[in-house]
Amino acid sequence: MRILAFAGSTSSTSINRELVKFVLKDFKDEDINLIDLNDFDMPVFSVNLEKKGFPDPAHRFLKHIQGCDAIICSLAEHNRSYASAFKNIFDWASRINVKVFQDKPMLLMSTSPGGYGGGNVMNTAKTFFPQFGADLIDTFSLPKFYENFDLESGVINPDMLKELKNKITNFKSQIKK
């Protein structure tokens, strides 16, 4: 099983990347491709630039999706929406293939320092990602990252850890079918 994993952030200290890395520990027997959105830098999308052609990083992002069997993603929330770097990659990729996620099963997550755990971006993504080819198997939102997560141990809140482990188990059972 080939799993594509990424955080919807370009921060070198991304808490969403930490959440993804923690979850990937439950997929040790799988072929993991953890990508960094910093490797997909391109101009801000506009129809004027689109007329000149599509940047190579947008094609590479779609190739990563094409080459996987499942996706694990944790979205950063900036001003109640997608981080601009992710949104730009998503915009370019969707103009090449509207089914950006190519009907791949996805475990979608978010976390934030606040009590809503990236809930705004999660709600947006839950609404729109299926329209762009995501087969959303499950979602998980971790509020108050710095209270509920330790960089060495991962999720330290027992109730949230149990919830996450149940969602990972469900995701694994769905992608193994």
Side-chain angles (χ1 to χ4, degrees):
M1 178 73 52
R2 295 165 304 180
I3 297 178
L4 174 65
F6 64 92
S9 170
T10 54
S11 171
S12 63
T13 59
S14 170
I15 59 178
N16 283 279
R17 186 171 182 82
E18 292 300 326
L19 181 58
V20 168
K21 287 173 17 184
F22 175 70
V23 167
L24 289 177
K25 291 177 182 179
D26 282 300
F27 293 87
K28 290 180 181 169
D29 296 333
E30 308 303 336
D31 179 12
I32 304 295
N33 180 12
L34 176 60
I35 62 172
D36 184 334
L37 295 190
N38 287 297
D39 296 332
F40 301 90
D41 189 35
M42 59 189 115
V44 174
F45 175 81
S46 76
V47 292
N48 293 334
L49 289 176
E50 180 185 26
K51 290 175 185 174
K52 297 177 184 178
F54 296 97
D56 180 61
H59 288 285
R60 283 191 293 108
F61 183 75
L62 288 168
K63 282 208 179 285
H64 281 291
I65 294 171
Q66 182 181 3
C68 77
D69 298 306
I71 301 168
I72 297 174
C73 169
S74 187
L75 295 173
E77 182 174 295
H78 292 185
N79 297 319
R80 300 183 181 193
S81 189
Y82 306 111
S84 58
F86 171 77
K87 180 69 165 79
N88 191 50
I89 294 167
F90 182 76
D91 286 345
W92 276 111
S94 71
R95 299 298 285 206
I96 297 168
N97 181 354
V98 73
K99 291 236 180 197
V100 172
F101 301 111
Q102 303 171 38
D103 300 318
K104 306 291 173 125
M106 179 184 283
L107 173 59
L108 179 63
M109 303 179 296
S110 65
T111 189
S112 74
Y116 203 44
N120 292 302
V121 73
M122 175 65 77
N123 288 335
T124 300
K126 284 184 342 190
T127 300
F128 291 107
F129 277 19
Q131 296 173 32
F132 290 89
D135 177 11
L136 286 183
I137 302 299
D138 223 327
T139 62
F140 176 76
S141 180
L142 179 68
K144 299 182 180 179
F145 179 83
Y146 296 104
E147 294 176 30
N148 293 312
F149 195 95
D150 177 82
L151 293 178
E152 296 294 319
S153 306
V155 177
I156 55 176
N157 177 299
D159 294 332
M160 290 178 193
L161 179 60
K162 182 178 180 184
E163 177 187 351
L164 177 57
K165 293 293 185 177
N166 287 338
K167 289 176 182 267
I168 291 169
T169 299
N170 178 51
F171 183 67
K172 283 179 151 183
S173 73
Q174 295 298 312
I175 63 176
K176 298 284 184 179
K177 288 183 176 182

